[in-house]
Amino acid sequence: MRRFFERDGVVRGCVSFDGKRLPRVREVADPAWVGVHRTGARVTAYVGRDVDEELGGLVGGGGFVLLVGDSAAGKSRAAFEAVRGQRPGDELLVPRTRADVAAAAEYAMRRRGCVLWLDDLERFVGGADGLNAAQVAGLVGRGAAVLVCATLRVEERGRLLDVGRGGDESNRGGAREVGHILRLATTVHLNRRFSPGELTRAESTAARDPRVGEALAHADWCGVAEYLAAGPQLLAKWHDGWAPGAQPRGAALVAAAVDARRAGFLRPATRELLVRLHELYLEAAGGTRLRPEPLEEAFTWAEEVLHATAALLHVDHAGSYVVFDYLVDNAQRQSTADDHVPAGTLRVLLDYSDPVDTFAIIDLAIDRGWYDLADTASGVLNRLTAALPGEHPDALAAAHYRARIAMWQGDYQLACDTYRDVLGKRTAVLGDSHHSTLATRHDYAWTLSACGSHAAAEHEFTAVVELRTSVLGGEHRLTLSARHNLAWVIFQAGDPPRAKALYEEVLALRTKTLGYDHEATLTTRHDLARVAARLGDHGTAEAEITAVLTGRLSYLSPDHPYVLTVRHDLAALALAGGRLADAEKQFAAVLDDRTRVLGSTHTHVATTRLELARVTAMRGNIAAAQVLYRSALDAIRRAFGADNPTTLAATAELAALPESPESR
């Protein structure tokens, strides 16, 4: 009886014909049932792809097969044709949502001849209820008995694996689990544009399906599958809709749905959410000057199916809205340093978010340097996880995120205490080698160093490096992140030569694996320049930090905290070179910008204020220097404590200043 109810629950959570049983692959006559785009009333005849033989062999052997490519490249169709050809008698499990995937995976673990179909993998990973690496590893271990077949868009893969703009492991926490899942997959890449061989096959297919012939006529400027899915046509429709008097409200609804997806809000958007969000986009584009149409007309326009193929927005089984992913990919490809999901959009999304959505919003907020917004999101996360046991994965993740936000806001002691608590619980629940445990231990080590406990931080980072090297390998990005930060601790502890040697090793490996201008590589180059400055090579340091500033401005806005840090270091080099007037001017500008971006009490603001106090005193303005020292010390004591070396040094410097005429 128990097994019957388990199966019944799995059927309810998966797509089925009659709601009573799981179908066999051979029973699926229409590939649209598993997510393939229709062209007209039915899907087009299949055009054989160059990967078919390889894909068929992998699918027949079971395990985890992942097809990666652009939106509308034909991923779902190629994958399904391989499954239909190799595993026609297998049960087919197509989970409806992330909440349904765990039960489907558990069911597949007990069956032989089973396909777990995960079209758009990003919809099924993340959070305590999403598919995790342990489940995937168990399914892979069953060999040919079970196939996990998934698709993933190139742009979405990049978003999921983004470790943060500075390459720091403390960013993009959710990417760690996804990274482990993706490493279990055998990945096949599918190109959007047809190869010469595929075009030849398409010409033969066109004789029995004229729609393929029509697509071939446009193959010189877009992919065949892309055209059949109406991707370029719908993109043009959306852009044209913004014209005054056209369909600007409808275009704003689509823009809201696109940015919700870009923000990591992967669930279909409710009508209420789109109605709230679209007003932000409509107003930003011109508001009433665009002569927007009524709301119902806007929704009708956005839901209109083009060429009986696809729509800008389509309504799912629950009445929510799914945006055509081709539009999302295009927006992600076209985005620049100043073109990102607005903070106002993220604030609205928080009212509709589950924990996984909130994790993604916090990641984005920290990436952009919007620490107040991240703090607000953390409050939402606390409410969402308040009823969970303290050892629940989402509760521990929420606590880890609280520590991250405290760290970025400069409250290092709070961050350190919170990380220590999470580390103990994750070690007890997951073990000391689990990637989540190591992530917390990594960030705990960083905050130990920030609090002045350099020896303890070095011990922790050394352990993380050893464990990650044994689990992931010495060149993995997470291993290199730990090695980079180990070098930072050694540098902070007062051993620049040893730090320099380790940084140079990390730079060589990051350049090899990521490239010389990658965000993470730039971070290592920046710190190596700091070491050069400490060792007295100011010319090399200034030239390299100037190059780092140019590199960071290519992917970050001028107001981003990482950019302001580079500017602070350039001002420090002007001071070290004796260019006092230049240094004072630069520090004053950075102080204004850091105060505006981070708030007057942030630790980074206090650090710049302290440096400005030093150069102001050196230029003889003692009264102004005293004011700057005192205000800097208040923030530094709160962040580091009274006994921290930075606090003690600043206190001594203030005491050593001569009495100013104004204070007599």
Side-chain angles (χ1 to χ4, degrees):
M1 182 67 70
R2 179 172 178 269
R3 184 63 58 85
F4 170 79
F5 284 111
E6 287 176 350
R7 182 187 179 101
D8 193 46
V10 171
V11 172
R12 285 197 303 272
C14 292
V15 181
S16 63
F17 292 131
D18 54 13
K20 297 178 181 178
R21 66 178 181 87
L22 296 169
R24 301 285 176 180
V25 171
R26 60 172 169 262
E27 295 178 292
V28 181
D30 183 359
W33 194 79
V34 294
V36 175
H37 294 297
R38 284 193 176 99
T39 304
R42 55 188 174 84
V43 298
T44 58
Y46 181 61
V47 177
R49 307 301 298 269
D50 291 344
V51 301
D52 284 351
E53 184 176 354
E54 176 191 7
L55 189 58
L58 293 171
V59 163
F64 180 19
V65 179
L66 175 66
L67 199 56
V68 175
D70 288 333
S71 173
K75 302 182 299 298
S76 302
R77 183 65 182 278
F80 183 71
E81 293 298 332
V83 169
R84 179 156 59 181
Q86 297 294 323
R87 310 181 73 99
D90 281 14
E91 283 185 298
L92 183 61
L93 294 107
V94 185
R96 295 181 184 276
T97 69
R98 186 177 63 231
D100 301 311
V101 73
E106 182 182 351
Y107 178 83
M109 279 292 294
R110 301 194 302 264
R111 305 290 292 177
R112 293 193 63 82
C114 189
V115 175
L116 179 60
W117 178 267
L118 304 175
D119 198 33
D120 294 328
L121 179 64
E122 72 275 8
R123 298 188 299 120
F124 301 101
V125 296
D129 59 347
L131 192 69
N132 60 51
Q135 291 169 323
V136 175
L139 292 169
V140 170
R142 298 211 58 213
V146 174
L147 169 69
V148 180
C149 190
T151 66
L152 187 63
R153 303 191 329 275
V154 170
E155 296 294 334
E156 195 63 36
R157 185 176 188 272
R159 186 192 69 80
L160 288 171
L161 292 180
D162 185 5
V163 296
R165 288 302 190 183
D168 193 323
E169 165 58 12
S170 61
N171 279 315
R172 294 292 179 195
R176 291 184 291 269
E177 183 71 31
V178 176
H180 280 70
I181 290 173
L182 295 184
R183 277 196 299 277
L184 293 167
T186 300
T187 301
V188 178
H189 294 272
L190 188 68
N191 291 325
R192 175 174 61 89
R193 302 296 291 269
F194 274 25
S195 70
E198 289 170 337
L199 289 172
T200 298
R201 290 191 289 274
E203 290 172 358
S204 299
T205 306
R208 51 192 172 88
D209 193 333
R211 294 169 298 176
V212 175
E214 180 184 350
L216 276 172
H218 299 84
D220 58 337
W221 62 276
C222 73
V224 171
E226 181 183 8
Y227 183 86
L228 290 170
Q233 301 95 312
L234 283 169
L235 181 63
K237 175 183 175 179
W238 178 32
H239 288 168
D240 292 345
W242 284 110
Q247 300 287 336
R249 190 179 299 278
L253 288 169
V254 176
V258 166
D259 269 6
R261 285 288 299 276
R262 290 174 65 201
F265 193 94
L266 301 179
R267 291 177 293 116
T270 63
R271 183 184 178 92
E272 178 187 340
L273 170 58
L274 290 184
V275 169
R276 280 188 61 186
L277 269 184
H278 94 282
E279 292 288 357
L280 301 176
Y281 292 85
L282 186 61
E283 185 62 30
T288 56
R289 295 191 301 276
L290 297 177
R291 305 193 303 278
E293 73 279 21
L295 184 63
E296 288 305 320
E297 180 183 332
F299 270 106
T300 299
W301 174 82
E303 295 171 43
E304 180 187 20
V305 177
L306 188 65
H307 304 322
T309 299
L312 295 168
L313 298 175
H314 80 262
V315 182
D316 72 356
H317 66 282
S320 293
Y321 292 85
V322 180
V323 65
F324 187 29
D325 54 23
Y326 185 89
L327 309 179
V328 181
D329 278 3
N330 182 267
Q332 288 172 322
R333 282 194 296 267
Q334 300 299 321
S335 64
T336 64
D338 294 318
D339 174 28
H340 45 66
V341 180
T345 296
L346 300 183
R347 292 188 184 278
V348 172
L349 287 173
L350 284 173
D351 292 339
Y352 300 85
S353 295
D354 65 13
V356 175
D357 303 324
T358 310
F359 294 150
I361 290 171
I362 293 175
D363 282 332
L364 269 183
I366 290 178
D367 272 359
R368 307 299 179 200
W370 299 335
Y371 302 143
D372 287 345
L373 174 57
D375 191 45
T376 300
S378 179
V380 172
L381 194 55
N382 290 344
R383 292 195 297 273
L384 291 172
T385 59
L388 298 175
E391 290 74 25
H392 189 280
D394 280 354
L396 289 174
H400 181 100
Y401 271 78
R402 285 196 297 274
R404 283 182 57 207
I405 294 165
M407 181 176 72
W408 287 112
Q409 289 180 323
D411 193 342
Y412 299 131
Q413 194 58 57
L414 174 60
C416 196
D417 293 342
T418 307
Y419 276 135
R420 185 185 300 112
D421 180 63
V422 176
L423 178 59
K425 291 176 179 176
R426 278 185 160 170
T427 301
V429 173
L430 302 172
D432 60 3
S433 297
H434 191 275
H435 56 86
S436 293
T437 306
L438 289 174
T440 300
R441 193 172 185 181
H442 176 282
D443 292 353
Y444 173 53
W446 197 96
T447 54
L448 280 172
S449 176
C451 291
S453 301
H454 301 308
E458 182 175 351
H459 172 78
E460 294 295 327
F461 270 130
T462 300
V464 172
V465 168
E466 291 175 353
L467 286 166
R468 282 186 171 164
T469 300
S470 66
V471 174
L472 302 173
E475 296 186 4
H476 191 276
R477 60 182 179 82
L478 298 183
T479 306
L480 294 178
S481 179
R483 292 182 66 188
H484 171 99
N485 285 317
L486 174 59
W488 173 251
V489 168
I490 292 169
F491 176 55
Q492 292 294 96
D495 192 351
R498 188 158 70 99
K500 181 174 183 288
L502 183 51
Y503 273 135
E504 287 174 342
E505 293 175 6
V506 174
L507 178 61
L509 290 170
R510 278 184 161 171
T511 301
K512 171 187 171 184
T513 58
L514 300 172
Y516 193 61
D517 295 319
H518 187 273
E519 298 97 315
T521 312
L522 285 171
T523 302
T524 303
R525 290 171 58 189
H526 184 190
D527 285 355
L528 256 175
R530 287 168 160 168
V531 173
R534 182 75 60 85
L535 294 173
D537 189 355
H538 296 142
T540 297
E542 188 160 10
E544 184 64 352
I545 291 181
T546 300
V548 168
L549 178 60
T550 300
R552 284 193 165 169
L553 284 171
S554 70
Y555 64 87
L556 297 176
S557 70
D559 281 344
H560 193 281
Y562 288 166
V563 172
L564 299 180
T565 296
V566 181
R567 287 176 53 199
H568 172 99
D569 288 351
L570 284 172
L573 284 168
L575 175 58
R579 306 193 307 273
L580 299 186
D582 187 21
E584 185 175 34
K585 180 180 178 180
Q586 289 188 53
F587 276 130
V590 174
L591 178 60
D592 287 346
D593 290 339
R594 275 186 158 175
T595 302
R596 174 173 49 81
V597 171
L598 300 173
S600 60
T601 61
H602 194 278
T603 309
H604 290 178
V605 174
T607 301
T608 300
R609 185 175 281 119
L610 180 59
E611 292 294 345
L612 181 59
R614 287 169 175 154
V615 71
T616 301
M618 293 171 70
R619 298 199 72 202
N621 192 344
I622 304 304
Q626 287 174 332
V627 173
L628 288 165
Y629 266 115
R630 291 189 183 106
S631 59
L633 270 168
D634 288 342
I636 289 170
R637 286 193 187 100
R638 284 194 299 270
F640 299 115
D643 297 328
N644 184 273
T646 301
T647 308
L648 294 173
T651 303
E653 290 168 16
L654 174 60
L657 287 177
E659 186 178 0
S660 67
E662 291 84 350
S663 63
R664 290 174 186 164

